[in-house]
Amino acid sequence: MSEKNGLVKNASFLMMATLISRVIGLLYRSPLGVVLGTVGLGYYGYANNVYVILLLISAYSIPMAVSKVVSERLALKQYRNAQKVFHGALLYAMIVGGVAALVAFFFGNYLLPVNQQQALLALRMLAPTIFFSAILGVMRGYFQAHSTMMPTSISQILEQIANAVVSVGAAYLLIQMFMGTMEVPADQAGQVMRATYGAVGSALGTGVGVLVALLFMAGVYALNRGMILRRVQ
């Protein structure tokens, strides 16, 4: 009965976190659109599409795989093997995520449409996020294997809050810094430049959100590291 209650509790935490994250995502879209403008949103959209595809290839299934394999080892009280799986998954995530990040950074121009090369700077800003997301996926899967969704739930909310604040703020600051004004220029070259810097700022927000979530998960692991090592020993 207690195990069933635990599952319901964890599912509730994750559902609430997902709901809150979606609401935050909806709320910041409007001010972001005002800052970036239609062209800037378009550049960010193209960069984000490539980012999502590379993320799916490199890190999409990591949390589920880590959670399944580690939970099996924990159920058999093979704590040392569970830790080996965790370390191996981290190494795998670093390699695969690192390769995908390098592809996005150095070969992004081949992945973007020919007429949307202005989105390249935003894609390069998103490149390190692929690497961090892969590691974050391992951390989330590891704690899910311990039958707790609380760290994952909180990290999702923190990620979305940081993403919303930094996306709008960084886009505004970069446009103001390089253009000197938030007004949309009359010439096409000025419009392209404004949209490019706005898209870069929005991409920076995505990266900061993932990094904040990763730092939170790393902090949770550090707090529990002593207990984990005692079980391994």
Side-chain angles (χ1 to χ4, degrees):
M1 190 68 176
S2 60
E3 184 178 349
K4 184 178 179 181
N5 290 337
L7 288 173
V8 172
K9 193 175 183 181
N10 284 325
S12 300
F13 283 143
L14 190 59
M15 186 170 63
M16 286 298 297
T18 303
L19 180 62
I20 293 171
S21 297
R22 293 292 172 84
V23 170
I24 295 171
L26 287 173
L27 290 176
Y28 91 90
R29 290 292 175 183
S30 179
L32 183 65
V34 172
V35 174
L36 263 62
T38 306
V39 181
L41 282 175
Y43 290 165
Y44 175 74
Y46 278 106
N48 191 64
N49 288 341
V50 175
Y51 160 75
V52 169
I53 291 172
L54 290 173
L55 194 61
L56 287 173
I57 294 172
S58 63
Y60 179 72
S61 61
I62 287 179
M64 188 182 301
V66 171
S67 177
K68 184 177 186 302
V69 178
V70 172
S71 63
E72 289 174 353
R73 302 298 184 276
L74 293 175
L76 296 171
K77 299 189 184 301
Q78 297 178 359
Y79 302 118
R80 188 179 299 276
N81 288 337
Q83 202 67 4
K84 286 181 179 178
V85 170
F86 174 56
H87 292 158
L90 280 176
L91 180 61
Y92 169 82
M94 289 178 183
I95 294 172
V96 176
V99 170
L102 290 173
V103 168
F105 191 88
F106 291 106
F107 303 101
N109 56 314
Y110 299 107
L111 302 176
L112 290 167
V114 177
N115 61 341
Q116 296 294 336
Q117 291 298 304
Q118 293 85 354
L120 182 59
L121 281 179
L123 178 57
R124 285 179 171 169
M125 180 61 72
L126 285 169
T129 311
I130 302 172
F131 176 74
F132 293 131
S133 293
I135 299 173
L136 177 60
V138 173
M139 300 293 292
R140 284 174 170 169
Y142 180 74
F143 281 102
Q144 288 169 23
H146 286 78
S147 301
T148 174
M149 302 296 281
M150 183 65 81
T152 295
S153 301
I154 296 175
S155 71
Q156 285 184 351
I157 296 173
L158 291 176
E159 177 183 350
Q160 198 63 17
I161 291 173
N163 183 12
V165 173
V166 177
S167 289
V168 177
Y172 179 88
L173 289 174
L174 284 176
I175 292 174
Q176 190 70 38
M177 185 186 303
F178 288 97
M179 303 300 298
T181 177
M182 292 302 295
E183 295 294 327
V184 179
D187 61 300
Q188 186 175 0
Q191 292 175 12
V192 168
M193 183 179 294
R194 183 188 188 282
T196 299
Y197 288 121
V200 169
S202 185
L204 178 62
T206 303
V208 170
V210 170
L211 188 57
V212 167
L214 178 58
L215 290 174
F216 172 79
M217 295 299 290
V220 174
Y221 179 80
L223 289 174
N224 291 275
R225 189 170 180 270
M227 179 270 293
I228 293 169
L229 293 181
R230 281 195 298 273
R231 289 205 306 183
V232 170
Q233 290 170 1

